[in-house]
Amino acid sequence: MSPSAAVQTAHSHPEQAEIRIEQVLQALGDPVRLQIVRALALATDGLACGAVPLPVTNSTRTHHMRILREAGVVTMRAEGTRRISTLRRADLDTLYPGLLDAVLDAPH
Amino acid sequence: MSPSAAVQTAHSHPEQAEIRIEQVLQALGDPVRLQIVRALALATDGLACGAVPLPVTNSTRTHHMRILREAGVVTMRAEGTRRISTLRRADLDTLYPGLLDAVLDAPH
DNA sequence: ACCGTACTACGACAATGGTCGAAGTACGAC
DNA sequence: GTCGTACTTCGACCATTGTCGTAGTACGGT
């Protein structure tokens, strides 16, 4: 195995201080991603990307997870072959109190 | 004067029930539009589109105002040659309590 | 070792979106 | 009426974005 074999599984996450409101809003502004976030909100201990039923292919799913991760909305950790995603509730509630709750409580 | 001469000044606004959260979030997710919304939040009695200093041309300004209006974030009324825009605070607070405040209080 | 599952990376594509300039409309002032 | 101001509309442009298929990597099972 090459030394760089584990690079792929290491995802970059923004620090709390690096999270920007426009990026968060834009990330939440897509129907597919909002569906993902709503599903993650119900699973307090995280959820595998593939566990959310979505009308898109796997590669598109990965793309949306990346947007959410890079915006600072979710964290991802490897667990076997799964990537468990979790909502960054604490960080978002600290930076933008009420934002996440308002979005999650919104009628859909 | 033709009968349809006043069409241009009549802008369409979505009813409160027609406002969709994804559209609102996407509208707020643009830096220029967020700047507009922040300016409007300070002027309770509305503001002319051109009164907000923006690094874009007039046509782009109009474009952004249209996005905000069609998303249900602002209302516009004609007042002479000016178009006075107002934040739809009541509607947004009713539909998504805490959302607008969270966005406006966000660090920038 | 082999295979299947879970996900990622890359390239391509069409659609969307932000930007502009030019032309046009509405209103007020003169 | 003419002129200037404020804004809109239209078409064009380029960058971004959501989508996909294909190929690839990592891990667990057998």
PDB file of all heavy atoms in Angstrom, chain D residues 11-23:
ATOM      1  P    DG D  11     -34.722  39.308 -26.637  1.00  0.00           P
ATOM      2  OP1  DG D  11     -35.389  39.171 -27.953  1.00  0.00           O
ATOM      3  OP2  DG D  11     -35.053  38.390 -25.534  1.00  0.00           O
ATOM      4  O5'  DG D  11     -33.140  39.268 -26.871  1.00  0.00           O
ATOM      5  C5'  DG D  11     -32.532  40.301 -27.605  1.00  0.00           C
ATOM      6  C4'  DG D  11     -31.037  40.312 -27.382  1.00  0.00           C
ATOM      7  O4'  DG D  11     -30.754  40.792 -26.043  1.00  0.00           O
ATOM      8  C3'  DG D  11     -30.366  38.937 -27.491  1.00  0.00           C
ATOM      9  O3'  DG D  11     -29.294  39.021 -28.414  1.00  0.00           O
ATOM     10  C2'  DG D  11     -29.890  38.627 -26.074  1.00  0.00           C
ATOM     11  C1'  DG D  11     -29.713  40.014 -25.480  1.00  0.00           C
ATOM     12  N9   DG D  11     -29.831  40.070 -24.024  1.00  0.00           N
ATOM     13  C8   DG D  11     -30.863  39.578 -23.263  1.00  0.00           C
ATOM     14  N7   DG D  11     -30.708  39.776 -21.987  1.00  0.00           N
ATOM     15  C5   DG D  11     -29.495  40.445 -21.887  1.00  0.00           C
ATOM     16  C6   DG D  11     -28.802  40.920 -20.753  1.00  0.00           C
ATOM     17  O6   DG D  11     -29.133  40.849 -19.568  1.00  0.00           O
ATOM     18  N1   DG D  11     -27.607  41.539 -21.108  1.00  0.00           N
ATOM     19  C2   DG D  11     -27.141  41.676 -22.389  1.00  0.00           C
ATOM     20  N2   DG D  11     -25.974  42.295 -22.540  1.00  0.00           N
ATOM     21  N3   DG D  11     -27.780  41.237 -23.459  1.00  0.00           N
ATOM     22  C4   DG D  11     -28.941  40.635 -23.139  1.00  0.00           C
ATOM     23  P    DA D  12     -28.601  37.657 -28.939  1.00  0.00           P
ATOM     24  OP1  DA D  12     -28.310  37.836 -30.380  1.00  0.00           O
ATOM     25  OP2  DA D  12     -29.374  36.492 -28.461  1.00  0.00           O
ATOM     26  O5'  DA D  12     -27.218  37.695 -28.139  1.00  0.00           O
ATOM     27  C5'  DA D  12     -26.423  38.866 -28.227  1.00  0.00           C
ATOM     28  C4'  DA D  12     -25.395  38.872 -27.120  1.00  0.00           C
ATOM     29  O4'  DA D  12     -26.082  39.012 -25.858  1.00  0.00           O
ATOM     30  C3'  DA D  12     -24.567  37.596 -27.011  1.00  0.00           C
ATOM     31  O3'  DA D  12     -23.245  37.844 -27.458  1.00  0.00           O
ATOM     32  C2'  DA D  12     -24.602  37.246 -25.521  1.00  0.00           C
ATOM     33  C1'  DA D  12     -25.247  38.462 -24.873  1.00  0.00           C
ATOM     34  N9   DA D  12     -26.079  38.156 -23.704  1.00  0.00           N
ATOM     35  C8   DA D  12     -27.278  37.510 -23.687  1.00  0.00           C
ATOM     36  N7   DA D  12     -27.800  37.391 -22.487  1.00  0.00           N
ATOM     37  C5   DA D  12     -26.874  37.989 -21.665  1.00  0.00           C
ATOM     38  C6   DA D  12     -26.831  38.202 -20.274  1.00  0.00           C
ATOM     39  N6   DA D  12     -27.785  37.791 -19.439  1.00  0.00           N
ATOM     40  N1   DA D  12     -25.761  38.844 -19.767  1.00  0.00           N
ATOM     41  C2   DA D  12     -24.804  39.259 -20.593  1.00  0.00           C
ATOM     42  N3   DA D  12     -24.729  39.131 -21.924  1.00  0.00           N
ATOM     43  C4   DA D  12     -25.808  38.485 -22.396  1.00  0.00           C
ATOM     44  P    DC D  13     -22.217  36.623 -27.678  1.00  0.00           P
ATOM     45  OP1  DC D  13     -21.265  37.045 -28.715  1.00  0.00           O
ATOM     46  OP2  DC D  13     -23.015  35.383 -27.823  1.00  0.00           O
ATOM     47  O5'  DC D  13     -21.430  36.535 -26.290  1.00  0.00           O
ATOM     48  C5'  DC D  13     -20.797  37.687 -25.776  1.00  0.00           C
ATOM     49  C4'  DC D  13     -20.459  37.468 -24.320  1.00  0.00           C
ATOM     50  O4'  DC D  13     -21.683  37.426 -23.564  1.00  0.00           O
ATOM     51  C3'  DC D  13     -19.766  36.140 -24.044  1.00  0.00           C
ATOM     52  O3'  DC D  13     -18.382  36.362 -23.866  1.00  0.00           O
ATOM     53  C2'  DC D  13     -20.428  35.624 -22.760  1.00  0.00           C
ATOM     54  C1'  DC D  13     -21.427  36.690 -22.385  1.00  0.00           C
ATOM     55  N1   DC D  13     -22.716  36.150 -21.883  1.00  0.00           N
ATOM     56  C2   DC D  13     -22.997  36.256 -20.516  1.00  0.00           C
ATOM     57  O2   DC D  13     -22.164  36.793 -19.775  1.00  0.00           O
ATOM     58  N3   DC D  13     -24.164  35.759 -20.041  1.00  0.00           N
ATOM     59  C4   DC D  13     -25.035  35.187 -20.881  1.00  0.00           C
ATOM     60  N4   DC D  13     -26.180  34.726 -20.386  1.00  0.00           N
ATOM     61  C5   DC D  13     -24.763  35.069 -22.276  1.00  0.00           C
ATOM     62  C6   DC D  13     -23.599  35.559 -22.732  1.00  0.00           C
ATOM     63  P    DC D  14     -17.321  35.177 -23.908  1.00  0.00           P
ATOM     64  OP1  DC D  14     -16.047  35.746 -24.365  1.00  0.00           O
ATOM     65  OP2  DC D  14     -17.958  34.050 -24.631  1.00  0.00           O
ATOM     66  O5'  DC D  14     -17.164  34.760 -22.378  1.00  0.00           O
ATOM     67  C5'  DC D  14     -16.904  35.757 -21.413  1.00  0.00           C
ATOM     68  C4'  DC D  14     -17.185  35.231 -20.021  1.00  0.00           C
ATOM     69  O4'  DC D  14     -18.610  35.032 -19.838  1.00  0.00           O
ATOM     70  C3'  DC D  14     -16.529  33.887 -19.684  1.00  0.00           C
ATOM     71  O3'  DC D  14     -15.908  34.001 -18.414  1.00  0.00           O
ATOM     72  C2'  DC D  14     -17.694  32.902 -19.679  1.00  0.00           C
ATOM     73  C1'  DC D  14     -18.833  33.784 -19.214  1.00  0.00           C
ATOM     74  N1   DC D  14     -20.201  33.310 -19.589  1.00  0.00           N
ATOM     75  C2   DC D  14     -21.204  33.325 -18.621  1.00  0.00           C
ATOM     76  O2   DC D  14     -20.947  33.733 -17.488  1.00  0.00           O
ATOM     77  N3   DC D  14     -22.449  32.902 -18.963  1.00  0.00           N
ATOM     78  C4   DC D  14     -22.685  32.478 -20.211  1.00  0.00           C
ATOM     79  N4   DC D  14     -23.925  32.076 -20.493  1.00  0.00           N
ATOM     80  C5   DC D  14     -21.679  32.455 -21.204  1.00  0.00           C
ATOM     81  C6   DC D  14     -20.449  32.878 -20.855  1.00  0.00           C
ATOM     82  P    DA D  15     -14.953  32.790 -17.894  1.00  0.00           P
ATOM     83  OP1  DA D  15     -13.611  33.335 -17.640  1.00  0.00           O
ATOM     84  OP2  DA D  15     -15.132  31.628 -18.795  1.00  0.00           O
ATOM     85  O5'  DA D  15     -15.630  32.453 -16.487  1.00  0.00           O
ATOM     86  C5'  DA D  15     -16.041  33.537 -15.668  1.00  0.00           C
ATOM     87  C4'  DA D  15     -16.928  33.032 -14.539  1.00  0.00           C
ATOM     88  O4'  DA D  15     -18.239  32.705 -15.049  1.00  0.00           O
ATOM     89  C3'  DA D  15     -16.410  31.769 -13.847  1.00  0.00           C
ATOM     90  O3'  DA D  15     -16.563  31.933 -12.444  1.00  0.00           O
ATOM     91  C2'  DA D  15     -17.275  30.648 -14.418  1.00  0.00           C
ATOM     92  C1'  DA D  15     -18.581  31.366 -14.746  1.00  0.00           C
ATOM     93  N9   DA D  15     -19.289  30.836 -15.908  1.00  0.00           N
ATOM     94  C8   DA D  15     -18.765  30.589 -17.144  1.00  0.00           C
ATOM     95  N7   DA D  15     -19.646  30.130 -17.999  1.00  0.00           N
ATOM     96  C5   DA D  15     -20.832  30.067 -17.271  1.00  0.00           C
ATOM     97  C6   DA D  15     -22.138  29.657 -17.607  1.00  0.00           C
ATOM     98  N6   DA D  15     -22.490  29.212 -18.819  1.00  0.00           N
ATOM     99  N1   DA D  15     -23.080  29.729 -16.650  1.00  0.00           N
ATOM    100  C2   DA D  15     -22.734  30.176 -15.434  1.00  0.00           C
ATOM    101  N3   DA D  15     -21.543  30.587 -14.996  1.00  0.00           N
ATOM    102  C4   DA D  15     -20.632  30.504 -15.983  1.00  0.00           C
ATOM    103  P    DT D  16     -16.064  30.761 -11.464  1.00  0.00           P
ATOM    104  OP1  DT D  16     -15.488  31.431 -10.274  1.00  0.00           O
ATOM    105  OP2  DT D  16     -15.264  29.792 -12.248  1.00  0.00           O
ATOM    106  O5'  DT D  16     -17.426  30.060 -11.023  1.00  0.00           O
ATOM    107  C5'  DT D  16     -18.518  30.878 -10.634  1.00  0.00           C
ATOM    108  C4'  DT D  16     -19.787  30.064 -10.535  1.00  0.00           C
ATOM    109  O4'  DT D  16     -20.233  29.685 -11.855  1.00  0.00           O
ATOM    110  C3'  DT D  16     -19.644  28.758  -9.738  1.00  0.00           C
ATOM    111  O3'  DT D  16     -20.564  28.795  -8.659  1.00  0.00           O
ATOM    112  C2'  DT D  16     -19.957  27.668 -10.760  1.00  0.00           C
ATOM    113  C1'  DT D  16     -20.815  28.411 -11.775  1.00  0.00           C
ATOM    114  N1   DT D  16     -20.819  27.836 -13.149  1.00  0.00           N
ATOM    115  C2   DT D  16     -22.022  27.434 -13.688  1.00  0.00           C
ATOM    116  O2   DT D  16     -23.079  27.515 -13.096  1.00  0.00           O
ATOM    117  N3   DT D  16     -21.930  26.932 -14.969  1.00  0.00           N
ATOM    118  C4   DT D  16     -20.784  26.799 -15.740  1.00  0.00           C
ATOM    119  O4   DT D  16     -20.829  26.339 -16.867  1.00  0.00           O
ATOM    120  C5   DT D  16     -19.563  27.243 -15.104  1.00  0.00           C
ATOM    121  C7   DT D  16     -18.267  27.151 -15.824  1.00  0.00           C
ATOM    122  C6   DT D  16     -19.641  27.738 -13.857  1.00  0.00           C
ATOM    123  P    DT D  17     -20.646  27.575  -7.623  1.00  0.00           P
ATOM    124  OP1  DT D  17     -21.157  28.101  -6.342  1.00  0.00           O
ATOM    125  OP2  DT D  17     -19.358  26.864  -7.680  1.00  0.00           O
ATOM    126  O5'  DT D  17     -21.781  26.644  -8.267  1.00  0.00           O
ATOM    127  C5'  DT D  17     -22.984  27.245  -8.726  1.00  0.00           C
ATOM    128  C4'  DT D  17     -23.929  26.180  -9.235  1.00  0.00           C
ATOM    129  O4'  DT D  17     -23.673  25.881 -10.622  1.00  0.00           O
ATOM    130  C3'  DT D  17     -23.837  24.854  -8.485  1.00  0.00           C
ATOM    131  O3'  DT D  17     -25.134  24.346  -8.307  1.00  0.00           O
ATOM    132  C2'  DT D  17     -23.027  23.989  -9.445  1.00  0.00           C
ATOM    133  C1'  DT D  17     -23.570  24.479 -10.775  1.00  0.00           C
ATOM    134  N1   DT D  17     -22.702  24.201 -11.941  1.00  0.00           N
ATOM    135  C2   DT D  17     -23.305  23.806 -13.126  1.00  0.00           C
ATOM    136  O2   DT D  17     -24.502  23.669 -13.249  1.00  0.00           O
ATOM    137  N3   DT D  17     -22.432  23.589 -14.161  1.00  0.00           N
ATOM    138  C4   DT D  17     -21.057  23.705 -14.135  1.00  0.00           C
ATOM    139  O4   DT D  17     -20.383  23.484 -15.133  1.00  0.00           O
ATOM    140  C5   DT D  17     -20.497  24.125 -12.873  1.00  0.00           C
ATOM    141  C7   DT D  17     -19.023  24.290 -12.726  1.00  0.00           C
ATOM    142  C6   DT D  17     -21.345  24.345 -11.854  1.00  0.00           C
ATOM    143  P    DG D  18     -25.529  23.384  -7.109  1.00  0.00           P
ATOM    144  OP1  DG D  18     -26.453  24.109  -6.218  1.00  0.00           O
ATOM    145  OP2  DG D  18     -24.267  22.824  -6.577  1.00  0.00           O
ATOM    146  O5'  DG D  18     -26.329  22.197  -7.816  1.00  0.00           O
ATOM    147  C5'  DG D  18     -27.503  22.488  -8.535  1.00  0.00           C
ATOM    148  C4'  DG D  18     -27.780  21.385  -9.530  1.00  0.00           C
ATOM    149  O4'  DG D  18     -26.797  21.430 -10.579  1.00  0.00           O
ATOM    150  C3'  DG D  18     -27.732  19.968  -8.941  1.00  0.00           C
ATOM    151  O3'  DG D  18     -28.904  19.264  -9.343  1.00  0.00           O
ATOM    152  C2'  DG D  18     -26.458  19.360  -9.525  1.00  0.00           C
ATOM    153  C1'  DG D  18     -26.304  20.129 -10.824  1.00  0.00           C
ATOM    154  N9   DG D  18     -24.919  20.265 -11.273  1.00  0.00           N
ATOM    155  C8   DG D  18     -23.838  20.642 -10.520  1.00  0.00           C
ATOM    156  N7   DG D  18     -22.718  20.688 -11.204  1.00  0.00           N
ATOM    157  C5   DG D  18     -23.081  20.319 -12.481  1.00  0.00           C
ATOM    158  C6   DG D  18     -22.307  20.187 -13.659  1.00  0.00           C
ATOM    159  O6   DG D  18     -21.100  20.372 -13.803  1.00  0.00           O
ATOM    160  N1   DG D  18     -23.078  19.798 -14.752  1.00  0.00           N
ATOM    161  C2   DG D  18     -24.433  19.564 -14.705  1.00  0.00           C
ATOM    162  N2   DG D  18     -25.013  19.197 -15.845  1.00  0.00           N
ATOM    163  N3   DG D  18     -25.178  19.683 -13.613  1.00  0.00           N
ATOM    164  C4   DG D  18     -24.440  20.057 -12.541  1.00  0.00           C
ATOM    165  P    DT D  19     -29.155  17.767  -8.810  1.00  0.00           P
ATOM    166  OP1  DT D  19     -30.624  17.568  -8.745  1.00  0.00           O
ATOM    167  OP2  DT D  19     -28.342  17.549  -7.606  1.00  0.00           O
ATOM    168  O5'  DT D  19     -28.614  16.859  -9.986  1.00  0.00           O
ATOM    169  C5'  DT D  19     -29.277  16.852 -11.244  1.00  0.00           C
ATOM    170  C4'  DT D  19     -28.426  16.208 -12.302  1.00  0.00           C
ATOM    171  O4'  DT D  19     -27.210  16.948 -12.495  1.00  0.00           O
ATOM    172  C3'  DT D  19     -27.932  14.798 -11.983  1.00  0.00           C
ATOM    173  O3'  DT D  19     -28.929  13.843 -12.260  1.00  0.00           O
ATOM    174  C2'  DT D  19     -26.755  14.659 -12.956  1.00  0.00           C
ATOM    175  C1'  DT D  19     -26.340  16.111 -13.231  1.00  0.00           C
ATOM    176  N1   DT D  19     -24.949  16.424 -12.831  1.00  0.00           N
ATOM    177  C2   DT D  19     -23.956  16.339 -13.774  1.00  0.00           C
ATOM    178  O2   DT D  19     -24.161  16.029 -14.920  1.00  0.00           O
ATOM    179  N3   DT D  19     -22.695  16.634 -13.315  1.00  0.00           N
ATOM    180  C4   DT D  19     -22.355  16.992 -12.034  1.00  0.00           C
ATOM    181  O4   DT D  19     -21.190  17.243 -11.735  1.00  0.00           O
ATOM    182  C5   DT D  19     -23.434  17.057 -11.096  1.00  0.00           C
ATOM    183  C7   DT D  19     -23.174  17.431  -9.672  1.00  0.00           C
ATOM    184  C6   DT D  19     -24.675  16.772 -11.535  1.00  0.00           C
ATOM    185  P    DC D  20     -28.734  12.302 -11.822  1.00  0.00           P
ATOM    186  OP1  DC D  20     -30.016  11.590 -12.024  1.00  0.00           O
ATOM    187  OP2  DC D  20     -28.089  12.296 -10.494  1.00  0.00           O
ATOM    188  O5'  DC D  20     -27.683  11.758 -12.888  1.00  0.00           O
ATOM    189  C5'  DC D  20     -28.035  11.760 -14.273  1.00  0.00           C
ATOM    190  C4'  DC D  20     -26.803  11.481 -15.120  1.00  0.00           C
ATOM    191  O4'  DC D  20     -25.787  12.451 -14.791  1.00  0.00           O
ATOM    192  C3'  DC D  20     -26.164  10.126 -14.846  1.00  0.00           C
ATOM    193  O3'  DC D  20     -26.642   9.176 -15.785  1.00  0.00           O
ATOM    194  C2'  DC D  20     -24.665  10.388 -15.008  1.00  0.00           C
ATOM    195  C1'  DC D  20     -24.525  11.896 -15.088  1.00  0.00           C
ATOM    196  N1   DC D  20     -23.541  12.455 -14.118  1.00  0.00           N
ATOM    197  C2   DC D  20     -22.270  12.826 -14.563  1.00  0.00           C
ATOM    198  O2   DC D  20     -21.988  12.674 -15.757  1.00  0.00           O
ATOM    199  N3   DC D  20     -21.382  13.326 -13.682  1.00  0.00           N
ATOM    200  C4   DC D  20     -21.721  13.474 -12.405  1.00  0.00           C
ATOM    201  N4   DC D  20     -20.813  13.982 -11.570  1.00  0.00           N
ATOM    202  C5   DC D  20     -23.008  13.116 -11.933  1.00  0.00           C
ATOM    203  C6   DC D  20     -23.887  12.609 -12.812  1.00  0.00           C
ATOM    204  P    DG D  21     -26.337   7.599 -15.532  1.00  0.00           P
ATOM    205  OP1  DG D  21     -27.313   6.809 -16.324  1.00  0.00           O
ATOM    206  OP2  DG D  21     -26.206   7.366 -14.086  1.00  0.00           O
ATOM    207  O5'  DG D  21     -24.889   7.438 -16.183  1.00  0.00           O
ATOM    208  C5'  DG D  21     -24.652   7.888 -17.509  1.00  0.00           C
ATOM    209  C4'  DG D  21     -23.207   7.634 -17.903  1.00  0.00           C
ATOM    210  O4'  DG D  21     -22.346   8.564 -17.194  1.00  0.00           O
ATOM    211  C3'  DG D  21     -22.687   6.233 -17.561  1.00  0.00           C
ATOM    212  O3'  DG D  21     -21.858   5.762 -18.612  1.00  0.00           O
ATOM    213  C2'  DG D  21     -21.906   6.435 -16.271  1.00  0.00           C
ATOM    214  C1'  DG D  21     -21.373   7.855 -16.433  1.00  0.00           C
ATOM    215  N9   DG D  21     -21.216   8.556 -15.167  1.00  0.00           N
ATOM    216  C8   DG D  21     -22.125   8.631 -14.145  1.00  0.00           C
ATOM    217  N7   DG D  21     -21.711   9.339 -13.127  1.00  0.00           N
ATOM    218  C5   DG D  21     -20.452   9.750 -13.497  1.00  0.00           C
ATOM    219  C6   DG D  21     -19.512  10.538 -12.794  1.00  0.00           C
ATOM    220  O6   DG D  21     -19.618  11.049 -11.669  1.00  0.00           O
ATOM    221  N1   DG D  21     -18.340  10.732 -13.530  1.00  0.00           N
ATOM    222  C2   DG D  21     -18.114  10.215 -14.786  1.00  0.00           C
ATOM    223  N2   DG D  21     -16.925  10.498 -15.335  1.00  0.00           N
ATOM    224  N3   DG D  21     -18.986   9.470 -15.453  1.00  0.00           N
ATOM    225  C4   DG D  21     -20.128   9.280 -14.752  1.00  0.00           C
ATOM    226  P    DT D  22     -21.379   4.228 -18.575  1.00  0.00           P
ATOM    227  OP1  DT D  22     -21.479   3.737 -19.961  1.00  0.00           O
ATOM    228  OP2  DT D  22     -22.061   3.527 -17.468  1.00  0.00           O
ATOM    229  O5'  DT D  22     -19.834   4.354 -18.180  1.00  0.00           O
ATOM    230  C5'  DT D  22     -19.039   5.329 -18.839  1.00  0.00           C
ATOM    231  C4'  DT D  22     -17.700   5.478 -18.141  1.00  0.00           C
ATOM    232  O4'  DT D  22     -17.855   6.309 -16.960  1.00  0.00           O
ATOM    233  C3'  DT D  22     -17.089   4.154 -17.668  1.00  0.00           C
ATOM    234  O3'  DT D  22     -15.780   4.035 -18.190  1.00  0.00           O
ATOM    235  C2'  DT D  22     -17.102   4.267 -16.139  1.00  0.00           C
ATOM    236  C1'  DT D  22     -17.082   5.767 -15.919  1.00  0.00           C
ATOM    237  N1   DT D  22     -17.685   6.216 -14.638  1.00  0.00           N
ATOM    238  C2   DT D  22     -16.970   7.062 -13.816  1.00  0.00           C
ATOM    239  O2   DT D  22     -15.867   7.469 -14.097  1.00  0.00           O
ATOM    240  N3   DT D  22     -17.621   7.416 -12.666  1.00  0.00           N
ATOM    241  C4   DT D  22     -18.877   7.017 -12.247  1.00  0.00           C
ATOM    242  O4   DT D  22     -19.345   7.402 -11.191  1.00  0.00           O
ATOM    243  C5   DT D  22     -19.563   6.136 -13.151  1.00  0.00           C
ATOM    244  C7   DT D  22     -20.926   5.638 -12.799  1.00  0.00           C
ATOM    245  C6   DT D  22     -18.944   5.776 -14.295  1.00  0.00           C
ATOM    246  P    DA D  23     -14.938   2.657 -17.921  1.00  0.00           P
ATOM    247  OP1  DA D  23     -14.198   2.375 -19.153  1.00  0.00           O
ATOM    248  OP2  DA D  23     -15.847   1.651 -17.354  1.00  0.00           O
ATOM    249  O5'  DA D  23     -13.895   3.095 -16.796  1.00  0.00           O
ATOM    250  C5'  DA D  23     -13.229   4.342 -16.948  1.00  0.00           C
ATOM    251  C4'  DA D  23     -12.515   4.704 -15.649  1.00  0.00           C
ATOM    252  O4'  DA D  23     -13.481   5.177 -14.682  1.00  0.00           O
ATOM    253  C3'  DA D  23     -11.793   3.527 -14.999  1.00  0.00           C
ATOM    254  O3'  DA D  23     -10.488   3.921 -14.611  1.00  0.00           O
ATOM    255  C2'  DA D  23     -12.664   3.181 -13.791  1.00  0.00           C
ATOM    256  C1'  DA D  23     -13.248   4.540 -13.444  1.00  0.00           C
ATOM    257  N9   DA D  23     -14.519   4.465 -12.724  1.00  0.00           N
ATOM    258  C8   DA D  23     -15.631   3.747 -13.056  1.00  0.00           C
ATOM    259  N7   DA D  23     -16.635   3.874 -12.206  1.00  0.00           N
ATOM    260  C5   DA D  23     -16.136   4.744 -11.253  1.00  0.00           C
ATOM    261  C6   DA D  23     -16.693   5.294 -10.079  1.00  0.00           C
ATOM    262  N6   DA D  23     -17.937   5.014  -9.664  1.00  0.00           N
ATOM    263  N1   DA D  23     -15.927   6.128  -9.351  1.00  0.00           N
ATOM    264  C2   DA D  23     -14.686   6.401  -9.776  1.00  0.00           C
ATOM    265  N3   DA D  23     -14.041   5.947 -10.861  1.00  0.00           N
ATOM    266  C4   DA D  23     -14.839   5.125 -11.559  1.00  0.00           C
TER     267       DA D  23
END
